[in-house]
């Protein structure tokens, strides 16, 4: 029971960048858990993942996780230019934000349906996986 209480205290709610969605989620996306996004093509799943790569880096006082992100991309949808644009929206240094996002081209080997994380990222708060079938 003590371990579960400790884990609960470590959970951070990270803003999605959309107030209505944050409210629906009870304050934002939780860290230390798996959240599955699904929906039709072009409904914003990838955009939300790109946004979370940025917002997880915001200070906790601004709804962030004061951490880093890993984006596991099995479809080729990761776009560094989107990360930079979203970072600019939050008045963050786009290059510094991008440096705190590990993409699958940096750290992941994708073979069949197995994803192997190849290098630990210190202070990792958020991992996005794009379309694992």
């Amino acid at each position: 029971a003590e371990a579960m209480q400790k884990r609960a205290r470590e959970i951070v709610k990270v803003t999605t960048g959309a107030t209505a969605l944050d409210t629906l989620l009870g304050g934002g996306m939780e860290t230390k858990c798996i959240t599955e996004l699904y929906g039709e093509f072009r409904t914003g799943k990838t955009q939300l993942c790109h946004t979370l790569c940025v917002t997880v880096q915001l200070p906790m006082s601004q709804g962030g996780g004061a951490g880093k992100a890993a984006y596991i991309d099995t479809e080729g949808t990761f776009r560094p230019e989107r990360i930079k644009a979203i970072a600019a929206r939050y008045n963050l240094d786009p290059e510094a934000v991008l440096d705190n996002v590990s993409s699958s081209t940096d750290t992941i080997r994708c073979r069949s349906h197995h994803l192997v994380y190849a290098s630990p990222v210190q202070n990792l708060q958020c991992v996005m996986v794009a379309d694992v079938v």
Side-chain angles (χ1 to χ4, degrees):
E2 186 178 319
M4 289 177 60
Q5 289 176 343
K6 181 181 184 262
R7 184 184 177 283
R9 286 190 300 270
E10 293 173 349
I11 292 173
V12 175
K13 298 245 181 161
V14 177
T15 183
T16 62
T19 306
L21 184 54
D22 287 348
T23 300
L24 185 65
L25 295 170
M29 287 283 206
E30 283 189 3
T31 60
K32 300 194 178 281
C33 69
I34 296 172
T35 302
E36 181 178 5
L37 303 174
Y38 63 95
E40 294 291 324
F41 177 70
R42 298 192 58 85
T43 56
K45 300 177 301 294
T46 300
Q47 178 66 23
L48 179 57
C49 289
H50 280 79
T51 300
L52 287 166
C53 282
V54 175
T55 60
V56 75
Q57 297 181 50
L58 291 169
M60 289 186 184
S61 62
Q62 294 179 18
K68 297 181 180 183
Y71 194 108
I72 303 171
D73 185 5
T74 63
E75 284 191 314
T77 58
F78 181 75
R79 298 287 179 264
E81 62 275 10
R82 289 298 306 134
I83 299 294
K84 290 179 180 181
I86 296 164
R89 171 187 167 209
Y90 286 95
N91 296 316
L92 298 173
D93 176 353
E95 292 298 329
V97 168
L98 191 57
D99 285 346
N100 286 328
V101 178
S102 295
S103 68
S104 58
T105 55
D106 297 331
T107 59
I108 307 299
R109 289 193 186 105
C110 300
R111 295 221 168 115
S112 301
H113 299 298
H114 302 287
L115 302 175
V116 180
Y117 192 66
S119 73
V121 176
Q122 187 176 23
N123 199 22
L124 180 67
Q125 288 284 7
C126 191
V127 176
M128 271 61 68
V129 179
D131 196 36
V132 175
V133 186

